[in-house]
Short mmCIF file of all heavy atoms in Angstrom, two decimals:
data_model
loop_
_atom_site.label_atom_id
_atom_site.label_comp_id
_atom_site.label_asym_id
_atom_site.label_seq_id
_atom_site.Cartn_x
_atom_site.Cartn_y
_atom_site.Cartn_z
N LEU A 1543 -6.97 -53.19 81.52
CA LEU A 1543 -6.86 -52.01 80.66
C LEU A 1543 -6.03 -52.33 79.41
O LEU A 1543 -6.34 -51.88 78.31
CB LEU A 1543 -6.23 -50.82 81.41
CG LEU A 1543 -7.07 -50.23 82.54
CD1 LEU A 1543 -6.27 -49.18 83.29
CD2 LEU A 1543 -8.34 -49.60 81.98
N LYS A 1544 -4.99 -53.11 79.58
CA LYS A 1544 -4.17 -53.47 78.41
C LYS A 1544 -4.94 -54.28 77.39
O LYS A 1544 -4.74 -54.13 76.19
CB LYS A 1544 -2.94 -54.27 78.92
CG LYS A 1544 -1.90 -53.41 79.62
CD LYS A 1544 -0.72 -54.23 80.08
CE LYS A 1544 0.32 -53.34 80.75
NZ LYS A 1544 1.48 -54.14 81.26
N VAL A 1545 -5.84 -55.12 77.86
CA VAL A 1545 -6.71 -55.86 76.94
C VAL A 1545 -7.55 -54.92 76.11
O VAL A 1545 -7.86 -55.18 74.93
CB VAL A 1545 -7.58 -56.89 77.71
CG1 VAL A 1545 -8.60 -57.52 76.77
CG2 VAL A 1545 -6.71 -57.95 78.37
N LEU A 1546 -7.90 -53.78 76.69
CA LEU A 1546 -8.68 -52.76 76.01
C LEU A 1546 -7.79 -51.81 75.19
O LEU A 1546 -8.28 -50.79 74.68
CB LEU A 1546 -9.47 -51.93 77.02
CG LEU A 1546 -10.54 -52.69 77.83
CD1 LEU A 1546 -11.10 -51.78 78.92
CD2 LEU A 1546 -11.63 -53.22 76.92
N ASN A 1547 -6.49 -52.12 75.09
CA ASN A 1547 -5.52 -51.27 74.40
C ASN A 1547 -5.48 -49.87 75.03
O ASN A 1547 -5.46 -48.85 74.34
CB ASN A 1547 -5.81 -51.18 72.90
CG ASN A 1547 -5.61 -52.49 72.20
OD1 ASN A 1547 -4.48 -52.97 72.06
ND2 ASN A 1547 -6.74 -53.11 71.79
N LEU A 1548 -5.43 -49.85 76.36
CA LEU A 1548 -5.40 -48.60 77.10
C LEU A 1548 -4.16 -48.57 78.02
O LEU A 1548 -3.74 -49.62 78.52
CB LEU A 1548 -6.65 -48.41 77.95
CG LEU A 1548 -7.95 -48.17 77.20
CD1 LEU A 1548 -9.12 -48.17 78.15
CD2 LEU A 1548 -7.88 -46.85 76.44
N LYS A 1549 -3.64 -47.37 78.23
CA LYS A 1549 -2.56 -47.18 79.16
C LYS A 1549 -3.07 -46.37 80.35
O LYS A 1549 -4.00 -45.56 80.21
CB LYS A 1549 -1.41 -46.43 78.49
CG LYS A 1549 -0.70 -47.26 77.43
CD LYS A 1549 0.50 -46.52 76.88
CE LYS A 1549 1.26 -47.38 75.90
NZ LYS A 1549 2.47 -46.68 75.38
N LEU A 1550 -2.46 -46.60 81.52
CA LEU A 1550 -2.87 -45.95 82.76
C LEU A 1550 -1.80 -44.97 83.19
O LEU A 1550 -0.62 -45.29 83.25
CB LEU A 1550 -3.11 -46.98 83.85
CG LEU A 1550 -3.47 -46.43 85.24
CD1 LEU A 1550 -4.82 -45.71 85.21
CD2 LEU A 1550 -3.48 -47.55 86.29
N MET A 1551 -2.23 -43.74 83.52
CA MET A 1551 -1.39 -42.74 84.17
C MET A 1551 -1.94 -42.50 85.57
O MET A 1551 -3.14 -42.42 85.75
CB MET A 1551 -1.33 -41.44 83.38
CG MET A 1551 -0.47 -40.36 84.03
SD MET A 1551 -0.10 -38.95 82.96
CE MET A 1551 -1.69 -38.08 83.01
N VAL A 1552 -1.03 -42.36 86.54
CA VAL A 1552 -1.43 -42.18 87.94
C VAL A 1552 -0.69 -40.94 88.50
O VAL A 1552 0.48 -40.72 88.22
CB VAL A 1552 -1.08 -43.41 88.79
CG1 VAL A 1552 -1.49 -43.20 90.24
CG2 VAL A 1552 -1.74 -44.67 88.20
N SER A 1553 -1.43 -40.13 89.30
CA SER A 1553 -0.81 -38.95 89.87
C SER A 1553 0.03 -39.29 91.09
O SER A 1553 -0.39 -40.09 91.96
CB SER A 1553 -1.88 -37.92 90.24
OG SER A 1553 -2.63 -38.35 91.37
N VAL A 1554 1.22 -38.70 91.14
CA VAL A 1554 2.13 -38.88 92.27
C VAL A 1554 2.73 -37.50 92.56
O VAL A 1554 3.10 -36.78 91.65
CB VAL A 1554 3.26 -39.87 91.97
CG1 VAL A 1554 4.29 -39.92 93.10
CG2 VAL A 1554 2.69 -41.25 91.69
N TRP A 1555 2.82 -37.17 93.84
CA TRP A 1555 3.36 -35.87 94.23
C TRP A 1555 4.74 -36.06 94.84
O TRP A 1555 5.00 -37.04 95.54
CB TRP A 1555 2.46 -35.23 95.29
CG TRP A 1555 1.06 -34.94 94.82
CD1 TRP A 1555 0.17 -35.83 94.31
CD2 TRP A 1555 0.39 -33.69 94.84
NE1 TRP A 1555 -1.00 -35.20 93.99
CE2 TRP A 1555 -0.91 -33.90 94.31
CE3 TRP A 1555 0.77 -32.42 95.26
CZ2 TRP A 1555 -1.83 -32.86 94.20
CZ3 TRP A 1555 -0.17 -31.39 95.15
CH2 TRP A 1555 -1.45 -31.62 94.61
N PRO A 1556 5.67 -35.11 94.61
CA PRO A 1556 6.95 -35.16 95.36
C PRO A 1556 6.76 -34.72 96.81
O PRO A 1556 7.74 -34.63 97.56
CB PRO A 1556 7.83 -34.17 94.57
CG PRO A 1556 6.88 -33.21 93.95
CD PRO A 1556 5.64 -34.02 93.64
N GLU A 1557 5.53 -34.45 97.19
CA GLU A 1557 5.14 -34.15 98.58
C GLU A 1557 4.63 -35.47 99.19
O GLU A 1557 3.56 -35.93 98.84
CB GLU A 1557 4.06 -33.09 98.59
CG GLU A 1557 3.57 -32.72 99.97
CD GLU A 1557 2.37 -31.77 99.93
OE1 GLU A 1557 1.72 -31.68 98.88
OE2 GLU A 1557 2.07 -31.17 100.96
N VAL A 1558 5.44 -36.04 100.06
CA VAL A 1558 5.12 -37.36 100.59
C VAL A 1558 4.76 -37.27 102.06
O VAL A 1558 5.47 -36.69 102.86
CB VAL A 1558 6.33 -38.32 100.40
CG1 VAL A 1558 5.99 -39.73 100.94
CG2 VAL A 1558 6.75 -38.41 98.94
N LYS A 1559 3.59 -37.86 102.42
CA LYS A 1559 3.14 -37.94 103.80
C LYS A 1559 2.79 -39.40 104.07
O LYS A 1559 1.61 -39.79 104.00
CB LYS A 1559 1.94 -37.07 104.05
CG LYS A 1559 2.14 -35.57 103.76
CD LYS A 1559 0.86 -34.81 103.96
CE LYS A 1559 0.92 -33.41 103.43
NZ LYS A 1559 -0.41 -32.71 103.52
N ASN A 1560 3.78 -40.20 104.24
CA ASN A 1560 3.55 -41.62 104.48
C ASN A 1560 4.79 -42.14 105.23
O ASN A 1560 5.86 -42.38 104.62
CB ASN A 1560 3.39 -42.35 103.13
CG ASN A 1560 3.04 -43.81 103.31
OD1 ASN A 1560 3.64 -44.53 104.11
ND2 ASN A 1560 2.04 -44.28 102.55
N GLU A 1561 4.68 -42.25 106.53
CA GLU A 1561 5.83 -42.56 107.36
C GLU A 1561 6.47 -43.86 106.96
O GLU A 1561 7.71 -43.99 106.98
CB GLU A 1561 5.41 -42.59 108.84
CG GLU A 1561 5.04 -41.22 109.39
CD GLU A 1561 4.71 -41.26 110.85
OE1 GLU A 1561 4.73 -42.38 111.44
OE2 GLU A 1561 4.40 -40.19 111.45
N ARG A 1562 5.67 -44.86 106.59
CA ARG A 1562 6.24 -46.13 106.21
C ARG A 1562 7.11 -46.03 104.97
O ARG A 1562 8.23 -46.52 104.90
CB ARG A 1562 5.11 -47.15 105.98
CG ARG A 1562 5.62 -48.61 105.79
CD ARG A 1562 4.45 -49.53 105.48
NE ARG A 1562 3.85 -49.24 104.20
CZ ARG A 1562 4.38 -49.65 103.03
NH1 ARG A 1562 5.50 -50.37 103.02
NH2 ARG A 1562 3.78 -49.37 101.90
N LEU A 1563 6.58 -45.33 103.94
CA LEU A 1563 7.33 -45.17 102.72
C LEU A 1563 8.54 -44.24 102.92
O LEU A 1563 9.62 -44.49 102.37
CB LEU A 1563 6.45 -44.59 101.60
CG LEU A 1563 5.33 -45.49 101.08
CD1 LEU A 1563 4.55 -44.81 100.00
CD2 LEU A 1563 5.89 -46.82 100.59
N GLU A 1564 8.38 -43.22 103.72
CA GLU A 1564 9.49 -42.31 103.97
C GLU A 1564 10.65 -43.06 104.62
O GLU A 1564 11.82 -42.84 104.27
CB GLU A 1564 9.02 -41.16 104.88
CG GLU A 1564 8.05 -40.20 104.22
CD GLU A 1564 7.45 -39.22 105.21
OE1 GLU A 1564 8.22 -38.72 106.07
OE2 GLU A 1564 6.23 -38.99 105.15
N ALA A 1565 10.32 -43.93 105.56
CA ALA A 1565 11.38 -44.69 106.23
C ALA A 1565 11.98 -45.76 105.31
O ALA A 1565 13.20 -45.92 105.23
CB ALA A 1565 10.82 -45.35 107.47
N LYS A 1566 11.12 -46.43 104.56
CA LYS A 1566 11.60 -47.49 103.67
C LYS A 1566 12.55 -46.98 102.63
O LYS A 1566 13.58 -47.63 102.32
CB LYS A 1566 10.41 -48.18 103.00
CG LYS A 1566 10.78 -49.31 102.04
CD LYS A 1566 9.55 -49.96 101.43
CE LYS A 1566 9.95 -51.05 100.43
NZ LYS A 1566 8.75 -51.69 99.81
N TYR A 1567 12.25 -45.82 102.06
CA TYR A 1567 13.07 -45.29 100.97
C TYR A 1567 13.99 -44.15 101.44
O TYR A 1567 14.64 -43.50 100.59
CB TYR A 1567 12.17 -44.81 99.83
CG TYR A 1567 11.43 -45.96 99.19
CD1 TYR A 1567 10.10 -46.26 99.55
CD2 TYR A 1567 12.04 -46.81 98.26
CE1 TYR A 1567 9.42 -47.30 98.98
CE2 TYR A 1567 11.36 -47.87 97.67
CZ TYR A 1567 10.04 -48.12 98.05
OH TYR A 1567 9.37 -49.15 97.46
N ASP A 1568 14.02 -43.90 102.73
CA ASP A 1568 14.93 -42.88 103.32
C ASP A 1568 14.79 -41.57 102.55
O ASP A 1568 15.74 -41.02 101.98
CB ASP A 1568 16.38 -43.39 103.23
CG ASP A 1568 17.33 -42.50 104.03
OD1 ASP A 1568 16.86 -41.70 104.85
OD2 ASP A 1568 18.56 -42.56 103.76
N LEU A 1569 13.61 -41.02 102.59
CA LEU A 1569 13.28 -39.80 101.80
C LEU A 1569 13.48 -38.56 102.69
O LEU A 1569 12.58 -38.17 103.45
CB LEU A 1569 11.84 -39.88 101.29
CG LEU A 1569 11.56 -40.99 100.28
CD1 LEU A 1569 10.10 -40.93 99.85
CD2 LEU A 1569 12.51 -40.90 99.07
N LYS A 1570 14.61 -37.98 102.57
CA LYS A 1570 14.90 -36.72 103.25
C LYS A 1570 14.06 -35.62 102.65
O LYS A 1570 13.93 -35.50 101.42
CB LYS A 1570 16.37 -36.37 103.16
CG LYS A 1570 16.77 -35.08 103.83
CD LYS A 1570 18.24 -34.78 103.59
CE LYS A 1570 18.62 -33.44 104.17
NZ LYS A 1570 20.04 -33.12 103.89
N LYS A 1571 13.47 -34.75 103.48
CA LYS A 1571 12.61 -33.67 103.00
C LYS A 1571 13.29 -32.33 103.17
O LYS A 1571 14.23 -32.16 103.95
CB LYS A 1571 11.28 -33.69 103.73
CG LYS A 1571 10.44 -34.92 103.53
CD LYS A 1571 9.13 -34.83 104.27
CE LYS A 1571 8.29 -36.06 104.10
NZ LYS A 1571 6.98 -35.96 104.82
N ILE A 1572 12.79 -31.35 102.41
CA ILE A 1572 13.21 -29.95 102.61
C ILE A 1572 12.50 -29.45 103.85
O ILE A 1572 11.28 -29.56 103.95
CB ILE A 1572 12.85 -29.11 101.38
CG1 ILE A 1572 13.57 -29.63 100.14
CG2 ILE A 1572 13.21 -27.65 101.63
CD1 ILE A 1572 13.13 -28.95 98.85
N LYS A 1573 13.25 -28.92 104.77
CA LYS A 1573 12.64 -28.44 106.02
C LYS A 1573 11.56 -27.44 105.75
O LYS A 1573 11.61 -26.69 104.79
CB LYS A 1573 13.72 -27.85 106.95
CG LYS A 1573 14.66 -28.89 107.52
CD LYS A 1573 15.67 -28.24 108.45
CE LYS A 1573 16.60 -29.30 109.05
NZ LYS A 1573 17.61 -28.69 109.95
N SER A 1574 10.56 -27.41 106.63
CA SER A 1574 9.36 -26.56 106.54
C SER A 1574 8.39 -27.06 105.50
O SER A 1574 7.45 -26.34 105.15
CB SER A 1574 9.70 -25.08 106.27
OG SER A 1574 9.96 -24.83 104.90
N SER A 1575 8.56 -28.30 105.01
CA SER A 1575 7.68 -28.81 103.99
C SER A 1575 7.66 -30.35 104.04
O SER A 1575 8.39 -30.97 104.78
CB SER A 1575 8.15 -28.38 102.59
OG SER A 1575 9.23 -29.20 102.14
N ASN A 1576 6.76 -30.91 103.23
CA ASN A 1576 6.73 -32.36 103.01
C ASN A 1576 7.32 -32.76 101.66
O ASN A 1576 7.14 -33.87 101.22
CB ASN A 1576 5.30 -32.89 103.13
CG ASN A 1576 4.81 -32.95 104.57
OD1 ASN A 1576 5.43 -33.64 105.40
ND2 ASN A 1576 3.74 -32.24 104.85
N TYR A 1577 8.01 -31.83 101.03
CA TYR A 1577 8.59 -32.11 99.69
C TYR A 1577 9.95 -32.73 99.84
O TYR A 1577 10.79 -32.26 100.65
CB TYR A 1577 8.68 -30.80 98.88
CG TYR A 1577 7.35 -30.38 98.33
CD1 TYR A 1577 6.48 -29.61 99.08
CD2 TYR A 1577 6.95 -30.81 97.07
CE1 TYR A 1577 5.24 -29.25 98.56
CE2 TYR A 1577 5.71 -30.45 96.56
CZ TYR A 1577 4.86 -29.67 97.31
OH TYR A 1577 3.63 -29.32 96.81
N VAL A 1578 10.20 -33.78 99.08
CA VAL A 1578 11.47 -34.48 99.17
C VAL A 1578 12.58 -33.56 98.66
O VAL A 1578 12.38 -32.71 97.78
CB VAL A 1578 11.45 -35.79 98.36
CG1 VAL A 1578 10.39 -36.74 98.88
CG2 VAL A 1578 11.25 -35.55 96.86
N ASP A 1579 13.76 -33.72 99.23
CA ASP A 1579 14.90 -32.94 98.80
C ASP A 1579 15.47 -33.54 97.51
O ASP A 1579 16.44 -34.29 97.52
CB ASP A 1579 15.98 -32.91 99.91
CG ASP A 1579 17.11 -31.93 99.60
OD1 ASP A 1579 17.14 -31.40 98.45
OD2 ASP A 1579 17.97 -31.72 100.48
N ILE A 1580 14.84 -33.18 96.41
CA ILE A 1580 15.16 -33.76 95.12
C ILE A 1580 16.55 -33.33 94.65
O ILE A 1580 17.11 -33.93 93.73
CB ILE A 1580 14.10 -33.35 94.06
CG1 ILE A 1580 14.05 -34.36 92.92
CG2 ILE A 1580 14.29 -31.96 93.59
CD1 ILE A 1580 13.45 -35.71 93.29
N TYR A 1581 17.15 -32.31 95.31
CA TYR A 1581 18.51 -31.88 94.96
C TYR A 1581 19.56 -32.88 95.46
O TYR A 1581 20.70 -32.85 95.01
CB TYR A 1581 18.77 -30.50 95.57
CG TYR A 1581 17.73 -29.47 95.21
CD1 TYR A 1581 16.66 -29.22 96.04
CD2 TYR A 1581 17.81 -28.79 94.00
CE1 TYR A 1581 15.68 -28.28 95.71
CE2 TYR A 1581 16.82 -27.85 93.66
CZ TYR A 1581 15.76 -27.61 94.51
OH TYR A 1581 14.81 -26.71 94.15
N ASP A 1582 19.17 -33.74 96.36
CA ASP A 1582 20.03 -34.80 96.86
C ASP A 1582 19.93 -35.98 95.89
O ASP A 1582 18.85 -36.55 95.71
CB ASP A 1582 19.55 -35.21 98.27
CG ASP A 1582 20.47 -36.26 98.93
OD1 ASP A 1582 20.86 -37.21 98.22
OD2 ASP A 1582 20.76 -36.13 100.12
N GLU A 1583 21.05 -36.32 95.24
CA GLU A 1583 21.00 -37.36 94.21
C GLU A 1583 20.52 -38.70 94.77
O GLU A 1583 19.81 -39.47 94.07
CB GLU A 1583 22.36 -37.52 93.55
CG GLU A 1583 22.74 -36.28 92.72
CD GLU A 1583 24.03 -36.49 91.94
OE1 GLU A 1583 24.59 -37.62 92.02
OE2 GLU A 1583 24.48 -35.56 91.28
N GLY A 1584 20.90 -39.03 96.00
CA GLY A 1584 20.44 -40.27 96.57
C GLY A 1584 18.94 -40.27 96.83
O GLY A 1584 18.26 -41.26 96.54
N VAL A 1585 18.43 -39.15 97.34
CA VAL A 1585 16.97 -39.02 97.52
C VAL A 1585 16.26 -39.11 96.18
O VAL A 1585 15.21 -39.75 96.05
CB VAL A 1585 16.64 -37.70 98.22
CG1 VAL A 1585 15.15 -37.45 98.24
CG2 VAL A 1585 17.18 -37.69 99.64
N SER A 1586 16.83 -38.47 95.18
CA SER A 1586 16.24 -38.49 93.83
C SER A 1586 16.10 -39.92 93.31
O SER A 1586 15.05 -40.33 92.81
CB SER A 1586 17.11 -37.66 92.89
OG SER A 1586 16.65 -37.77 91.57
N GLU A 1587 17.17 -40.70 93.45
CA GLU A 1587 17.14 -42.10 93.00
C GLU A 1587 16.15 -42.91 93.80
O GLU A 1587 15.42 -43.75 93.23
CB GLU A 1587 18.54 -42.69 93.10
CG GLU A 1587 19.52 -42.06 92.12
CD GLU A 1587 20.96 -42.50 92.40
OE1 GLU A 1587 21.15 -43.29 93.38
OE2 GLU A 1587 21.87 -42.03 91.70
#
Side-chain angles (χ1 to χ4, degrees):
L1543 292 174
K1544 287 180 179 178
V1545 172
L1546 297 172
N1547 293 292
L1548 291 173
K1549 292 184 175 182
L1550 177 65
M1551 179 168 75
V1552 180
S1553 71
V1554 175
W1555 299 56
E1557 179 187 17
V1558 181
K1559 302 176 191 174
N1560 185 314
E1561 291 182 359
R1562 188 184 67 80
L1563 293 181
E1564 291 171 43
K1566 179 179 178 180
Y1567 295 98
D1568 189 17
L1569 296 180
K1570 179 184 176 183
K1571 296 181 181 181
I1572 300 173
K1573 289 182 179 179
S1574 80
S1575 80
N1576 283 302
Y1577 284 86
V1578 299
D1579 188 352
I1580 204 71
Y1581 306 96
D1582 184 316
E1583 291 185 5
V1585 171
S1586 175
E1587 292 169 1

